[in-house]
Amino acid sequence: MRKPTPHSSGAKPPKLAKSLIPNHVAVVMDGNGRWAKQRGLPRTAGHEAGEAALFDLVEGAIEIGVKEISAFAFSTENWKRSPEEVKFLMGFNRDVIRRRLDDMHELGVRVRWAGRDRKLWKSVIDELERAEKITAKNKVLTLNMCVNYGGRAEIIDAAIELGKDIKAKKIDPDKVNEKTLTKYLDVPTDVDLFLRSSGEERISNFMLWQSAYAEMVFLDVLWPDVDRRTLWHAIEIYAKRDRRFGSAK
């Protein structure tokens, strides 16, 4: 197992109390298309540039002590994009997982897949499942690759599976609560920090259940320009928030 590669600028993570570091960070990697358009490049070039941003952010998360990242790689709504872009994104997600797997494994990262298998290319599913198997025992950080993922779809699928277990008398319906349903979700941990790049201020059907009490941070930087320093800045903002979870001071 190796330590994260230092950032090329020499930047170090801010010194914050452990209690001020979010355990789980959800990331909407937005702005690839705009980044490419500004440079007169095809949208696919923006997605390619965004790969380095994600994995620099992962190394920065390890450095500062974040334990889980959920990355919105392909949504259930992204099928509405042009056939050319969908085809590119399918192949790109498959190849990114394959290309980065050894590096993630060396860092002690556990890779997990969150999302539906319907419509998803079999080659993408194969790579995701292979990554899950190889990294299953890693404990430094969990990276949830959210591919063909939607927050509403996740809740619907969880409710269907819970209903099946109630019908099979494995679960007492009178004892069903939030904790019960959470166990059926693809990602069963609460999000502490919800980070979106590009300046857009919406959650776009991502981590709906998990983000009930997440701190939202929207930064005006396009995804390919993001690196670990962006994450650290977001965490500094998070650390100043007063998280009361419905209680009063």
Side-chain angles (χ1 to χ4, degrees), residues 205-221:
N205 193 25
F206 188 49
M207 296 279 130
L208 297 184
W209 181 279
Q210 299 87 341
S211 298
Y213 278 100
E215 295 298 325
M216 303 290 172
V217 176
F218 304 108
L219 297 178
D220 194 11
V221 53

Side-chain angles (χ1 to χ4, degrees), residues 75-125:
S75 79
T76 49
E77 287 76 37
N78 285 158
W79 296 105
K80 299 174 186 177
R81 297 189 178 185
S82 71
E84 294 77 18
E85 186 171 2
V86 168
K87 182 178 180 180
F88 170 82
L89 287 171
M90 284 293 101
F92 182 65
N93 276 298
R94 175 196 61 210
D95 296 343
V96 165
I97 296 158
R98 180 186 299 152
R99 191 159 51 238
R100 297 285 183 165
L101 180 56
D102 288 346
D103 199 28
M104 293 296 99
H105 192 35
E106 288 174 6
L107 285 165
V109 173
R110 180 188 179 197
V111 179
R112 294 183 69 250
W113 168 34
R116 287 176 163 175
D117 58 4
R118 66 188 71 166
K119 294 176 71 174
L120 203 55
W121 286 10
K122 184 180 183 300
S123 60
V124 179
I125 294 172

Side-chain angles (χ1 to χ4, degrees), residues 23-38:
N23 181 70
H24 183 184
V25 179
V27 183
V28 178
M29 304 179 287
D30 194 21
N32 291 332
R34 275 167 282 174
W35 183 91
K37 186 177 180 180
Q38 288 176 0

